Amino acid sequence: VLSDLDFSNWAKNIQERTESALDRLMPASKIAPTKLHEAMRYATMGGGKRVRALLAHAAGEFCSADAAKIDMAAAAVEMIHAYSLVHDDMPCMDDDDLRRGKPSCHKQFDDATALLVGDALQSLAFQTLATPNLLPEKHQLEMVHLLAVASGSRGMAGGQAIDLASVGQTLSQTELEYMHIHKTGALIRAATLLGSYCAHHQDQTRTHALDQYAQNIGLAFQVVDDILDAEADTATLGKTAGKDADNNKPTYVTILGLTQAKALAQDLYNQAITPLQNYGNQATRLIELAQFITNRGF
Ligand code: IPE
Ligand code: IPE
Ligand code: MG
Ligand code: MG
Ligand code: MG
C-alpha cells in the first residue's frame, strides 16, 4: 500500500500516476486540431514537481479517499496550473522563454497557440471534475465550484492581475501576502481540499485542519518560489533565474530580504502543521510534504 512507502517513493508513485491520468484525459496529438493537442501535452506532461497532485493525494489519503478518484482531482488541478504557467510565461506577462527545462509553450509553438492551450486546459479541467459518475453529484458540484473560485478573478487569475499591476511598485507585506495568497495560494488550497472532497464521508474537523494546513503551505510555497528565483540557478530551476528582479517585481525577497524570507517560510511551515498535531501518524504524509515544499531547492 502507498502508506508504507517512504516519502520520495510515495511522491514518485503519485507523480507517475498523475502523468498517466493526464495522458488518459488529454486528446492524443494525432487528433485534430493536432497542433493544439500537441501543445497541450507539451505544456502539461513530462515535467513539473506535481506539488498540487501530491497535495491532493496526501489530503485524500488523510480522509481515506480512493486513489483513483483523487487522480481525477489531481489531474484537474495540474491542468489549471499548467495553463497558468503557459499564460504566465507569455510576452504580455512575465516574458519567460524557459519552463520546466524546455522552451516555454509560446516559444515552442506560438502566442496564439499558447493562449488556446490555456483556454483548452481550463475547460478540460472542469470537464474532468464533471466526469459522469465520478462521485456523488453533490460532491462533484462542490468540487467544480471550489476550483472555479480558486482559479478565477477572486483566486489565481485575480492574483496574476495584481502581480502585473504591482510591477515597479513597493508593496507592504500585507499587500504582498494578499497577492501571493491569490496567485498561488488559492490553487494550492483547492488542490488540498479537492483531495479531501474525494472521500465519501466529509469530516468537518479534518477538513478544517486541512484548510489551515493548505492556506499556510500555499503561502510558504510562493515565499520559497521568490527565494529560489533570487538564489538558485536556471539549470536547477528549469526556468529563468533572477526573472523577478529583471521584471521589477515586488517579492518576499525584495520586501524582507533573504534571511527574513527564509524565516517566514519556516514560520508558515510550523503554522501549517500545527492543526495536524492531533492526528498522529495519519498526518505524516502531509507533514513530509510540507517539509518538501518549504525546504526544496527547485
Ligand atoms: C511555479 O509552480 C509557479 C508558481 C505558482 C510559483 P511550480 O513550482 O509548482 O511549478 P512546476 O509545476 O513544478 O513546474
Ligand atoms: C506564477 O508566479 C503564479 C502563477 C502562474 C499563477 P511566478 O511568475 O512567480 O511563477 P514562475 O516563477 O514564473 O514559475
Ligand atoms: Mg508571474
Ligand atoms: Mg513567472
Ligand atoms: Mg516565481
Side-chain angles (χ1 to χ4, degrees):
V1 278
L2 285 171
S3 58
D4 292 335
L5 299 173
D6 68 26
F7 178 73
S8 78
N9 281 315
W10 174 81
K12 197 159 155 280
N13 186 292
I14 304 297
Q15 285 154 349
E16 283 166 7
R17 56 188 301 152
T18 302
E19 189 79 6
S20 49
L22 289 165
D23 186 33
R24 252 185 295 117
L25 291 163
M26 275 191 294
S29 306
K30 63 176 194 293
I31 293 175
T34 55
K35 184 180 181 184
L36 179 58
H37 289 142
E38 198 195 321
M40 286 165 72
R41 288 176 162 269
Y42 179 86
T44 312
M45 298 183 52
K49 297 175 288 295
R50 305 292 187 211
V51 160
R52 293 150 194 81
L54 294 169
L55 282 162
H57 277 275
E61 286 176 23
F62 181 66
C63 298
S64 312
D66 171 18
K69 311 276 180 188
I70 309 170
D71 283 335
M72 299 292 274
V77 186
E78 287 289 336
M79 287 173 197
I80 296 279
H81 170 59
Y83 126 62
S84 81
L85 297 179
V86 168
H87 284 186
D88 183 75
D89 288 336
M90 289 185 72
C92 53
M93 295 192 76
D94 290 353
D95 193 14
D96 216 320
D97 293 352
L98 191 70
R99 174 64 65 182
R100 296 178 170 172
K102 303 185 292 191
S104 307
C105 189
H106 70 277
K107 293 301 273 184
Q108 183 71 16
F109 296 88
D110 50 64
D111 286 6
T113 303
L115 267 184
L116 291 171
V117 162
D119 295 342
L121 284 175
Q122 173 161 222
S123 296
L124 190 55
F126 289 105
Q127 185 183 325
T128 300
L129 288 185
T131 301
N133 304 317
L134 180 61
L135 288 159
E137 281 170 16
K138 185 171 161 290
H139 290 191
Q140 286 184 258
L141 193 56
E142 280 171 353
M143 290 165 82
V144 166
H145 186 262
L146 178 74
L147 189 61
V149 173
S151 53
S153 67
R154 301 302 309 278
M156 182 276 289
Q160 290 284 71
I162 298 167
D163 178 294
L164 293 176
S166 305
V167 170
Q169 311 267 318
T170 311
L171 299 187
S172 68
Q173 192 174 336
T174 312
E175 289 169 327
L176 190 69
E177 183 179 298
Y178 186 85
M179 170 169 110
H180 279 28
I181 285 172
H182 288 81
K183 78 171 185 180
T184 302
L187 209 54
I188 298 242
R189 173 173 179 257
T192 311
L193 293 179
L194 285 175
S196 75
Y197 284 20
C198 291
H200 277 283
H201 173 70
Q202 308 291 316
D203 172 341
Q204 296 268 349
T205 320
R206 247 170 224 264
T207 311
H208 184 71
L210 276 174
D211 197 0
Q212 297 302 114
Y213 166 85
Q215 289 187 43
N216 283 294
I217 216 60
L219 183 54
F221 186 88
Q222 185 65 46
V223 175
V224 173
D225 184 80
D226 288 357
I227 293 169
L228 292 173
D229 190 278
E231 244 191 3
D233 57 49
T234 298
T236 310
L237 291 178
K239 58 187 185 185
T240 317
K243 201 67 191 163
D244 293 332
D246 285 353
N247 285 346
N248 227 343
K249 300 258 178 157
T251 68
Y252 273 95
V253 178
T254 63
I255 288 195
L256 296 179
L258 273 170
T259 309
Q260 267 189 273
K262 286 178 186 175
L264 176 64
Q266 284 305 322
D267 273 2
L268 290 165
Y269 164 79
N270 288 326
Q271 287 171 52
I273 66 165
T274 300
L276 300 174
Q277 296 309 332
N278 295 335
Y279 293 98
N281 286 342
Q282 291 176 43
T284 301
R285 204 61 90 193
L286 288 161
I287 293 171
E288 288 172 338
L289 182 51
Q291 269 161 7
F292 169 71
I293 286 171
T294 317
N295 301 319
R296 73 202 154 98
F298 58 99

PDB file of all heavy atoms in Angstrom, residues 241-274:
ATOM      1  N   ALA A 241      16.309  32.030 -13.840  1.00  0.00           N
ATOM      2  CA  ALA A 241      16.580  32.583 -12.510  1.00  0.00           C
ATOM      3  C   ALA A 241      16.703  34.104 -12.605  1.00  0.00           C
ATOM      4  O   ALA A 241      17.052  34.650 -13.657  1.00  0.00           O
ATOM      5  CB  ALA A 241      17.873  31.983 -11.959  1.00  0.00           C
ATOM      6  N   GLY A 242      16.373  34.776 -11.527  1.00  0.00           N
ATOM      7  CA  GLY A 242      16.517  36.236 -11.494  1.00  0.00           C
ATOM      8  C   GLY A 242      15.459  36.992 -12.275  1.00  0.00           C
ATOM      9  O   GLY A 242      15.561  38.198 -12.500  1.00  0.00           O
ATOM     10  N   LYS A 243      14.416  36.281 -12.661  1.00  0.00           N
ATOM     11  CA  LYS A 243      13.379  36.888 -13.509  1.00  0.00           C
ATOM     12  C   LYS A 243      12.583  37.963 -12.744  1.00  0.00           C
ATOM     13  O   LYS A 243      12.160  38.960 -13.323  1.00  0.00           O
ATOM     14  CB  LYS A 243      12.440  35.775 -13.985  1.00  0.00           C
ATOM     15  CG  LYS A 243      11.643  36.101 -15.223  1.00  0.00           C
ATOM     16  CD  LYS A 243      12.515  36.226 -16.459  1.00  0.00           C
ATOM     17  CE  LYS A 243      11.690  36.816 -17.593  1.00  0.00           C
ATOM     18  NZ  LYS A 243      12.513  37.341 -18.679  1.00  0.00           N
ATOM     19  N   ASP A 244      12.367  37.747 -11.463  1.00  0.00           N
ATOM     20  CA  ASP A 244      11.580  38.716 -10.689  1.00  0.00           C
ATOM     21  C   ASP A 244      12.302  40.067 -10.638  1.00  0.00           C
ATOM     22  O   ASP A 244      11.685  41.117 -10.851  1.00  0.00           O
ATOM     23  CB  ASP A 244      11.330  38.206  -9.260  1.00  0.00           C
ATOM     24  CG  ASP A 244      10.413  36.983  -9.235  1.00  0.00           C
ATOM     25  OD1 ASP A 244       9.577  36.848 -10.151  1.00  0.00           O
ATOM     26  OD2 ASP A 244      10.548  36.169  -8.305  1.00  0.00           O
ATOM     27  N   ALA A 245      13.610  40.015 -10.359  1.00  0.00           N
ATOM     28  CA  ALA A 245      14.389  41.263 -10.323  1.00  0.00           C
ATOM     29  C   ALA A 245      14.410  41.907 -11.707  1.00  0.00           C
ATOM     30  O   ALA A 245      14.194  43.122 -11.846  1.00  0.00           O
ATOM     31  CB  ALA A 245      15.807  40.979  -9.833  1.00  0.00           C
ATOM     32  N   ASP A 246      14.624  41.098 -12.755  1.00  0.00           N
ATOM     33  CA  ASP A 246      14.632  41.622 -14.132  1.00  0.00           C
ATOM     34  C   ASP A 246      13.325  42.335 -14.455  1.00  0.00           C
ATOM     35  O   ASP A 246      13.302  43.343 -15.152  1.00  0.00           O
ATOM     36  CB  ASP A 246      14.756  40.477 -15.165  1.00  0.00           C
ATOM     37  CG  ASP A 246      16.172  39.923 -15.222  1.00  0.00           C
ATOM     38  OD1 ASP A 246      17.059  40.503 -14.565  1.00  0.00           O
ATOM     39  OD2 ASP A 246      16.362  38.906 -15.919  1.00  0.00           O
ATOM     40  N   ASN A 247      12.225  41.749 -13.979  1.00  0.00           N
ATOM     41  CA  ASN A 247      10.907  42.298 -14.307  1.00  0.00           C
ATOM     42  C   ASN A 247      10.426  43.318 -13.280  1.00  0.00           C
ATOM     43  O   ASN A 247       9.285  43.768 -13.351  1.00  0.00           O
ATOM     44  CB  ASN A 247       9.867  41.165 -14.412  1.00  0.00           C
ATOM     45  CG  ASN A 247      10.005  40.365 -15.701  1.00  0.00           C
ATOM     46  OD1 ASN A 247      10.692  40.786 -16.627  1.00  0.00           O
ATOM     47  ND2 ASN A 247       9.354  39.224 -15.765  1.00  0.00           N
ATOM     48  N   ASN A 248      11.303  43.635 -12.316  1.00  0.00           N
ATOM     49  CA  ASN A 248      10.942  44.642 -11.320  1.00  0.00           C
ATOM     50  C   ASN A 248       9.716  44.266 -10.499  1.00  0.00           C
ATOM     51  O   ASN A 248       8.831  45.096 -10.251  1.00  0.00           O
ATOM     52  CB  ASN A 248      10.673  45.957 -12.064  1.00  0.00           C
ATOM     53  CG  ASN A 248      11.377  47.108 -11.401  1.00  0.00           C
ATOM     54  OD1 ASN A 248      11.789  46.999 -10.235  1.00  0.00           O
ATOM     55  ND2 ASN A 248      11.506  48.221 -12.110  1.00  0.00           N
ATOM     56  N   LYS A 249       9.660  42.992 -10.088  1.00  0.00           N
ATOM     57  CA  LYS A 249       8.507  42.526  -9.318  1.00  0.00           C
ATOM     58  C   LYS A 249       8.789  42.650  -7.823  1.00  0.00           C
ATOM     59  O   LYS A 249       9.862  42.262  -7.366  1.00  0.00           O
ATOM     60  CB  LYS A 249       8.250  41.038  -9.614  1.00  0.00           C
ATOM     61  CG  LYS A 249       7.953  40.726 -11.054  1.00  0.00           C
ATOM     62  CD  LYS A 249       6.492  40.514 -11.279  1.00  0.00           C
ATOM     63  CE  LYS A 249       6.246  40.242 -12.748  1.00  0.00           C
ATOM     64  NZ  LYS A 249       5.058  39.534 -13.040  1.00  0.00           N
ATOM     65  N   PRO A 250       7.823  43.122  -7.075  1.00  0.00           N
ATOM     66  CA  PRO A 250       7.968  43.039  -5.625  1.00  0.00           C
ATOM     67  C   PRO A 250       7.834  41.566  -5.200  1.00  0.00           C
ATOM     68  O   PRO A 250       6.952  40.853  -5.683  1.00  0.00           O
ATOM     69  CB  PRO A 250       6.800  43.869  -5.097  1.00  0.00           C
ATOM     70  CG  PRO A 250       5.811  43.938  -6.209  1.00  0.00           C
ATOM     71  CD  PRO A 250       6.534  43.696  -7.498  1.00  0.00           C
ATOM     72  N   THR A 251       8.719  41.094  -4.345  1.00  0.00           N
ATOM     73  CA  THR A 251       8.663  39.708  -3.860  1.00  0.00           C
ATOM     74  C   THR A 251       8.993  39.711  -2.370  1.00  0.00           C
ATOM     75  O   THR A 251       9.374  40.739  -1.820  1.00  0.00           O
ATOM     76  CB  THR A 251       9.719  38.820  -4.565  1.00  0.00           C
ATOM     77  OG1 THR A 251      11.016  39.233  -4.138  1.00  0.00           O
ATOM     78  CG2 THR A 251       9.623  38.908  -6.080  1.00  0.00           C
ATOM     79  N   TYR A 252       8.894  38.549  -1.752  1.00  0.00           N
ATOM     80  CA  TYR A 252       9.280  38.451  -0.342  1.00  0.00           C
ATOM     81  C   TYR A 252      10.757  38.763  -0.155  1.00  0.00           C
ATOM     82  O   TYR A 252      11.158  39.241   0.906  1.00  0.00           O
ATOM     83  CB  TYR A 252       8.901  37.083   0.238  1.00  0.00           C
ATOM     84  CG  TYR A 252       7.487  37.118   0.751  1.00  0.00           C
ATOM     85  CD1 TYR A 252       6.422  36.697  -0.034  1.00  0.00           C
ATOM     86  CD2 TYR A 252       7.209  37.647   2.004  1.00  0.00           C
ATOM     87  CE1 TYR A 252       5.125  36.788   0.423  1.00  0.00           C
ATOM     88  CE2 TYR A 252       5.913  37.748   2.478  1.00  0.00           C
ATOM     89  CZ  TYR A 252       4.873  37.315   1.678  1.00  0.00           C
ATOM     90  OH  TYR A 252       3.586  37.423   2.127  1.00  0.00           O
ATOM     91  N   VAL A 253      11.543  38.504  -1.181  1.00  0.00           N
ATOM     92  CA  VAL A 253      12.973  38.809  -1.073  1.00  0.00           C
ATOM     93  C   VAL A 253      13.207  40.322  -1.128  1.00  0.00           C
ATOM     94  O   VAL A 253      13.982  40.861  -0.335  1.00  0.00           O
ATOM     95  CB  VAL A 253      13.762  38.084  -2.185  1.00  0.00           C
ATOM     96  CG1 VAL A 253      15.238  38.439  -2.107  1.00  0.00           C
ATOM     97  CG2 VAL A 253      13.576  36.576  -2.061  1.00  0.00           C
ATOM     98  N   THR A 254      12.502  41.026  -1.999  1.00  0.00           N
ATOM     99  CA  THR A 254      12.711  42.478  -2.057  1.00  0.00           C
ATOM    100  C   THR A 254      12.160  43.155  -0.805  1.00  0.00           C
ATOM    101  O   THR A 254      12.700  44.156  -0.352  1.00  0.00           O
ATOM    102  CB  THR A 254      12.073  43.129  -3.321  1.00  0.00           C
ATOM    103  OG1 THR A 254      10.647  42.950  -3.281  1.00  0.00           O
ATOM    104  CG2 THR A 254      12.605  42.509  -4.597  1.00  0.00           C
ATOM    105  N   ILE A 255      11.094  42.613  -0.247  1.00  0.00           N
ATOM    106  CA  ILE A 255      10.470  43.263   0.912  1.00  0.00           C
ATOM    107  C   ILE A 255      11.158  42.918   2.226  1.00  0.00           C
ATOM    108  O   ILE A 255      11.383  43.775   3.073  1.00  0.00           O
ATOM    109  CB  ILE A 255       8.962  42.920   0.956  1.00  0.00           C
ATOM    110  CG1 ILE A 255       8.267  43.671  -0.181  1.00  0.00           C
ATOM    111  CG2 ILE A 255       8.351  43.259   2.298  1.00  0.00           C
ATOM    112  CD1 ILE A 255       6.791  43.730  -0.054  1.00  0.00           C
ATOM    113  N   LEU A 256      11.511  41.630   2.397  1.00  0.00           N
ATOM    114  CA  LEU A 256      12.062  41.193   3.693  1.00  0.00           C
ATOM    115  C   LEU A 256      13.557  40.912   3.659  1.00  0.00           C
ATOM    116  O   LEU A 256      14.195  40.849   4.709  1.00  0.00           O
ATOM    117  CB  LEU A 256      11.352  39.907   4.151  1.00  0.00           C
ATOM    118  CG  LEU A 256       9.865  39.976   4.456  1.00  0.00           C
ATOM    119  CD1 LEU A 256       9.365  38.593   4.873  1.00  0.00           C
ATOM    120  CD2 LEU A 256       9.573  40.992   5.556  1.00  0.00           C
ATOM    121  N   GLY A 257      14.112  40.695   2.487  1.00  0.00           N
ATOM    122  CA  GLY A 257      15.492  40.199   2.401  1.00  0.00           C
ATOM    123  C   GLY A 257      15.482  38.683   2.530  1.00  0.00           C
ATOM    124  O   GLY A 257      14.504  38.088   3.012  1.00  0.00           O
ATOM    125  N   LEU A 258      16.569  38.044   2.098  1.00  0.00           N
ATOM    126  CA  LEU A 258      16.611  36.574   2.044  1.00  0.00           C
ATOM    127  C   LEU A 258      16.469  35.913   3.421  1.00  0.00           C
ATOM    128  O   LEU A 258      15.717  34.944   3.574  1.00  0.00           O
ATOM    129  CB  LEU A 258      17.935  36.121   1.423  1.00  0.00           C
ATOM    130  CG  LEU A 258      17.960  36.021  -0.108  1.00  0.00           C
ATOM    131  CD1 LEU A 258      19.384  35.800  -0.599  1.00  0.00           C
ATOM    132  CD2 LEU A 258      17.040  34.892  -0.583  1.00  0.00           C
ATOM    133  N   THR A 259      17.174  36.445   4.406  1.00  0.00           N
ATOM    134  CA  THR A 259      17.176  35.798   5.721  1.00  0.00           C
ATOM    135  C   THR A 259      15.789  35.789   6.336  1.00  0.00           C
ATOM    136  O   THR A 259      15.297  34.753   6.803  1.00  0.00           O
ATOM    137  CB  THR A 259      18.162  36.525   6.665  1.00  0.00           C
ATOM    138  OG1 THR A 259      19.413  36.626   5.977  1.00  0.00           O
ATOM    139  CG2 THR A 259      18.342  35.779   7.961  1.00  0.00           C
ATOM    140  N   GLN A 260      15.132  36.943   6.304  1.00  0.00           N
ATOM    141  CA  GLN A 260      13.791  37.016   6.894  1.00  0.00           C
ATOM    142  C   GLN A 260      12.756  36.262   6.066  1.00  0.00           C
ATOM    143  O   GLN A 260      11.801  35.710   6.609  1.00  0.00           O
ATOM    144  CB  GLN A 260      13.366  38.473   7.024  1.00  0.00           C
ATOM    145  CG  GLN A 260      13.691  39.069   8.387  1.00  0.00           C
ATOM    146  CD  GLN A 260      13.035  40.439   8.488  1.00  0.00           C
ATOM    147  OE1 GLN A 260      13.622  41.433   8.068  1.00  0.00           O
ATOM    148  NE2 GLN A 260      11.822  40.483   9.025  1.00  0.00           N
ATOM    149  N   ALA A 261      12.958  36.246   4.751  1.00  0.00           N
ATOM    150  CA  ALA A 261      12.031  35.484   3.904  1.00  0.00           C
ATOM    151  C   ALA A 261      12.119  33.999   4.254  1.00  0.00           C
ATOM    152  O   ALA A 261      11.103  33.293   4.329  1.00  0.00           O
ATOM    153  CB  ALA A 261      12.343  35.722   2.422  1.00  0.00           C
ATOM    154  N   LYS A 262      13.346  33.519   4.486  1.00  0.00           N
ATOM    155  CA  LYS A 262      13.517  32.109   4.866  1.00  0.00           C
ATOM    156  C   LYS A 262      12.895  31.825   6.229  1.00  0.00           C
ATOM    157  O   LYS A 262      12.287  30.764   6.435  1.00  0.00           O
ATOM    158  CB  LYS A 262      15.005  31.741   4.884  1.00  0.00           C
ATOM    159  CG  LYS A 262      15.581  31.616   3.481  1.00  0.00           C
ATOM    160  CD  LYS A 262      17.065  31.298   3.497  1.00  0.00           C
ATOM    161  CE  LYS A 262      17.602  31.332   2.076  1.00  0.00           C
ATOM    162  NZ  LYS A 262      19.061  31.159   2.039  1.00  0.00           N
ATOM    163  N   ALA A 263      13.039  32.760   7.146  1.00  0.00           N
ATOM    164  CA  ALA A 263      12.442  32.591   8.476  1.00  0.00           C
ATOM    165  C   ALA A 263      10.916  32.555   8.360  1.00  0.00           C
ATOM    166  O   ALA A 263      10.246  31.762   9.032  1.00  0.00           O
ATOM    167  CB  ALA A 263      12.887  33.714   9.398  1.00  0.00           C
ATOM    168  N   LEU A 264      10.379  33.398   7.486  1.00  0.00           N
ATOM    169  CA  LEU A 264       8.931  33.405   7.290  1.00  0.00           C
ATOM    170  C   LEU A 264       8.451  32.058   6.732  1.00  0.00           C
ATOM    171  O   LEU A 264       7.425  31.520   7.175  1.00  0.00           O
ATOM    172  CB  LEU A 264       8.523  34.543   6.338  1.00  0.00           C
ATOM    173  CG  LEU A 264       7.039  34.586   5.989  1.00  0.00           C
ATOM    174  CD1 LEU A 264       6.171  34.859   7.220  1.00  0.00           C
ATOM    175  CD2 LEU A 264       6.754  35.647   4.920  1.00  0.00           C
ATOM    176  N   ALA A 265       9.187  31.501   5.779  1.00  0.00           N
ATOM    177  CA  ALA A 265       8.806  30.194   5.222  1.00  0.00           C
ATOM    178  C   ALA A 265       8.755  29.144   6.341  1.00  0.00           C
ATOM    179  O   ALA A 265       7.823  28.327   6.392  1.00  0.00           O
ATOM    180  CB  ALA A 265       9.779  29.781   4.114  1.00  0.00           C
ATOM    181  N   GLN A 266       9.717  29.166   7.235  1.00  0.00           N
ATOM    182  CA  GLN A 266       9.724  28.217   8.362  1.00  0.00           C
ATOM    183  C   GLN A 266       8.528  28.441   9.300  1.00  0.00           C
ATOM    184  O   GLN A 266       7.891  27.485   9.744  1.00  0.00           O
ATOM    185  CB  GLN A 266      11.038  28.312   9.161  1.00  0.00           C
ATOM    186  CG  GLN A 266      12.233  27.660   8.483  1.00  0.00           C
ATOM    187  CD  GLN A 266      12.010  26.187   8.111  1.00  0.00           C
ATOM    188  OE1 GLN A 266      11.385  25.420   8.836  1.00  0.00           O
ATOM    189  NE2 GLN A 266      12.500  25.790   6.941  1.00  0.00           N
ATOM    190  N   ASP A 267       8.243  29.719   9.576  1.00  0.00           N
ATOM    191  CA  ASP A 267       7.069  30.050  10.400  1.00  0.00           C
ATOM    192  C   ASP A 267       5.792  29.496   9.783  1.00  0.00           C
ATOM    193  O   ASP A 267       4.929  28.942  10.477  1.00  0.00           O
ATOM    194  CB  ASP A 267       6.852  31.577  10.428  1.00  0.00           C
ATOM    195  CG  ASP A 267       7.648  32.236  11.525  1.00  0.00           C
ATOM    196  OD1 ASP A 267       8.384  31.528  12.238  1.00  0.00           O
ATOM    197  OD2 ASP A 267       7.516  33.474  11.656  1.00  0.00           O
ATOM    198  N   LEU A 268       5.660  29.706   8.481  1.00  0.00           N
ATOM    199  CA  LEU A 268       4.452  29.245   7.793  1.00  0.00           C
ATOM    200  C   LEU A 268       4.364  27.722   7.820  1.00  0.00           C
ATOM    201  O   LEU A 268       3.278  27.148   7.953  1.00  0.00           O
ATOM    202  CB  LEU A 268       4.420  29.776   6.351  1.00  0.00           C
ATOM    203  CG  LEU A 268       4.184  31.293   6.247  1.00  0.00           C
ATOM    204  CD1 LEU A 268       4.535  31.806   4.854  1.00  0.00           C
ATOM    205  CD2 LEU A 268       2.737  31.646   6.603  1.00  0.00           C
ATOM    206  N   TYR A 269       5.511  27.072   7.680  1.00  0.00           N
ATOM    207  CA  TYR A 269       5.556  25.610   7.810  1.00  0.00           C
ATOM    208  C   TYR A 269       5.019  25.183   9.176  1.00  0.00           C
ATOM    209  O   TYR A 269       4.165  24.289   9.271  1.00  0.00           O
ATOM    210  CB  TYR A 269       6.989  25.109   7.590  1.00  0.00           C
ATOM    211  CG  TYR A 269       7.199  23.697   8.064  1.00  0.00           C
ATOM    212  CD1 TYR A 269       6.769  22.611   7.295  1.00  0.00           C
ATOM    213  CD2 TYR A 269       7.784  23.430   9.303  1.00  0.00           C
ATOM    214  CE1 TYR A 269       6.931  21.311   7.738  1.00  0.00           C
ATOM    215  CE2 TYR A 269       7.950  22.133   9.756  1.00  0.00           C
ATOM    216  CZ  TYR A 269       7.523  21.074   8.972  1.00  0.00           C
ATOM    217  OH  TYR A 269       7.671  19.790   9.424  1.00  0.00           O
ATOM    218  N   ASN A 270       5.513  25.829  10.209  1.00  0.00           N
ATOM    219  CA  ASN A 270       5.055  25.486  11.569  1.00  0.00           C
ATOM    220  C   ASN A 270       3.554  25.704  11.728  1.00  0.00           C
ATOM    221  O   ASN A 270       2.846  24.886  12.316  1.00  0.00           O
ATOM    222  CB  ASN A 270       5.815  26.304  12.619  1.00  0.00           C
ATOM    223  CG  ASN A 270       7.253  25.836  12.756  1.00  0.00           C
ATOM    224  OD1 ASN A 270       7.534  24.647  12.617  1.00  0.00           O
ATOM    225  ND2 ASN A 270       8.171  26.754  12.993  1.00  0.00           N
ATOM    226  N   GLN A 271       3.090  26.819  11.188  1.00  0.00           N
ATOM    227  CA  GLN A 271       1.647  27.092  11.278  1.00  0.00           C
ATOM    228  C   GLN A 271       0.833  26.091  10.462  1.00  0.00           C
ATOM    229  O   GLN A 271      -0.298  25.769  10.807  1.00  0.00           O
ATOM    230  CB  GLN A 271       1.342  28.517  10.809  1.00  0.00           C
ATOM    231  CG  GLN A 271       1.804  29.570  11.817  1.00  0.00           C
ATOM    232  CD  GLN A 271       1.694  30.974  11.232  1.00  0.00           C
ATOM    233  OE1 GLN A 271       0.647  31.362  10.733  1.00  0.00           O
ATOM    234  NE2 GLN A 271       2.783  31.722  11.283  1.00  0.00           N
ATOM    235  N   ALA A 272       1.427  25.623   9.373  1.00  0.00           N
ATOM    236  CA  ALA A 272       0.722  24.645   8.534  1.00  0.00           C
ATOM    237  C   ALA A 272       0.532  23.325   9.267  1.00  0.00           C
ATOM    238  O   ALA A 272      -0.543  22.713   9.188  1.00  0.00           O
ATOM    239  CB  ALA A 272       1.486  24.417   7.222  1.00  0.00           C
ATOM    240  N   ILE A 273       1.568  22.886   9.960  1.00  0.00           N
ATOM    241  CA  ILE A 273       1.479  21.539  10.557  1.00  0.00           C
ATOM    242  C   ILE A 273       0.833  21.525  11.943  1.00  0.00           C
ATOM    243  O   ILE A 273       0.379  20.480  12.388  1.00  0.00           O
ATOM    244  CB  ILE A 273       2.843  20.801  10.575  1.00  0.00           C
ATOM    245  CG1 ILE A 273       3.829  21.497  11.494  1.00  0.00           C
ATOM    246  CG2 ILE A 273       3.414  20.674   9.163  1.00  0.00           C
ATOM    247  CD1 ILE A 273       5.031  20.620  11.811  1.00  0.00           C
ATOM    248  N   THR A 274       0.742  22.675  12.584  1.00  0.00           N
ATOM    249  CA  THR A 274       0.139  22.720  13.929  1.00  0.00           C
ATOM    250  C   THR A 274      -1.271  22.110  13.975  1.00  0.00           C
ATOM    251  O   THR A 274      -1.544  21.280  14.853  1.00  0.00           O
ATOM    252  CB  THR A 274       0.135  24.160  14.475  1.00  0.00           C
ATOM    253  OG1 THR A 274       1.496  24.596  14.535  1.00  0.00           O
ATOM    254  CG2 THR A 274      -0.481  24.251  15.857  1.00  0.00           C
TER     255      THR A 274
END
